[in-house]
Amino acid sequence: MKRFWLIVVTGSLVALAGCHSFKKENIQPPTPLAKDFKPTVQVTRVWKERVGHGAGVSGVRMEPTVVNGVLYAASTDGAIAALDANTGKTLWETKSRTHGWFGWGDKKRKDAFYAGGPAVDGDLLAIGTLDGHVYGLSSKDGSQRWVATLPSEVIDSPTINNGLVLVRTQDGRVYGLDSNTGERRWVNDQGSVPLLSLRGNGSLLVTNGVVFFGSDDGKLMAVREDNGEKLWEQKLATGEGRTDIERMNDADGGVVLDGSTLYASAYHGSLTAVDGPSGRPLWARPFSTYTSMALGGNSLFGVNTDSQVWAFDKSSGADMWKNDDLKYRWLTAPAVQGDYVVVGDIEGYVHWLQTGDGALAGRERLSKKAIRAEPVVANGLVYIEDVEGHIAAYRLGAK
């Protein structure tokens, strides 16, 4: 049975049949940016580089990762690289010799259309592909250590923990692979996956021997890390509505952990706080989103399906503020850099909002291409990547 994916664009929908072709319908125009905007924080671009051609037309979010002062990034056209996170200097880069979408070329990595982004732990780098493979590479030079074959696309970053590479595929399954060999240890199969869902998966959250993730049918799931057995599930959306699109309730964002409390959200669903050990809901409030939330101090920050930026009290879910200035700009998931919330938009702009009241404080333009990947904050810098593989690092200073 053929599955259909949807990408949310500025409050409207783009239908994808398969992976690489789409038709835009009823797209709201992005809210124009204020020409008389006066920044209240100084933003300095530290460096800018490029790794491959990014996500291209794949519709996935290519997100870099920063570990021990090294930024790792990949592209769907087979490039993968390690850069000095402070200077942008390339430490190593490898490219698979693929030609076209069908993988002619390198026999060892003939399908190396990397997706999602890399995960790094020690000397192991793990990354999935659009053709359903997971590669274990050396984080020191990119050389291949092993490859695992899975039955569906891997379009989000794996997670490495306790000798396992944990991977979620687009058909709803979660796998535990041996980090030394890539051998399959276990698989968790949710059973039925909706025919219609958002194209994307939130990152797996692994802590205290438990793997947490949002499901394609709007649930927060908890499974055992050692064998994939389900521990509990909590509904985040009810799937109500007159049409298939209105009833779609994909939990496409990542799960946020604060102490023992989990925060998760869903498209056409709720933002919900859940007790991690028991799965018991603590509070819930309506909030439809297709991205992950971000935590900063006593607040949760999110972007709804109209690209309005919200702040909520993390203890109760009460509204703290809402910013409409970037409505319909198809914003990324938010990240927190110091006292500011950072988001990228469909026209290549990066925006900084004050965490206290949501006021716009800074703006820079990475490129003229869309930014879909969540900003990555590390070592006092924020790293932004656009859909064509341009990556920049920004630092904040006093105005």
Side-chain angles (χ1 to χ4, degrees), residues 119-143:
V120 175
D121 182 58
D123 62 354
L124 175 64
L125 183 154
I127 189 167
T129 74
L130 293 172
D131 287 348
H133 289 74
V134 180
Y135 288 104
L137 309 177
S138 166
S139 64
K140 307 302 180 185
D141 59 15
S143 59

Side-chain angles (χ1 to χ4, degrees), residues 1 9 36 91 132 227 294 333 343 361 375:
M1 180 169 59
V9 183
D36 59 349
L91 303 177
N227 62 13
V343 291

Side-chain angles (χ1 to χ4, degrees), residues 40 95 99 105 123 157 184 186 219 231 239 276 285 293 320-321 346 388-389 395:
T40 57
K95 296 180 181 179
H99 304 284
D123 62 354
S157 303
R184 187 181 304 180
W186 54 259
K219 297 176 183 176
L231 295 173
R285 54 150 302 132
M293 307 293 292
M320 297 180 67
W321 53 257
I346 194 172
E388 290 198 348
R395 176 182 291 118

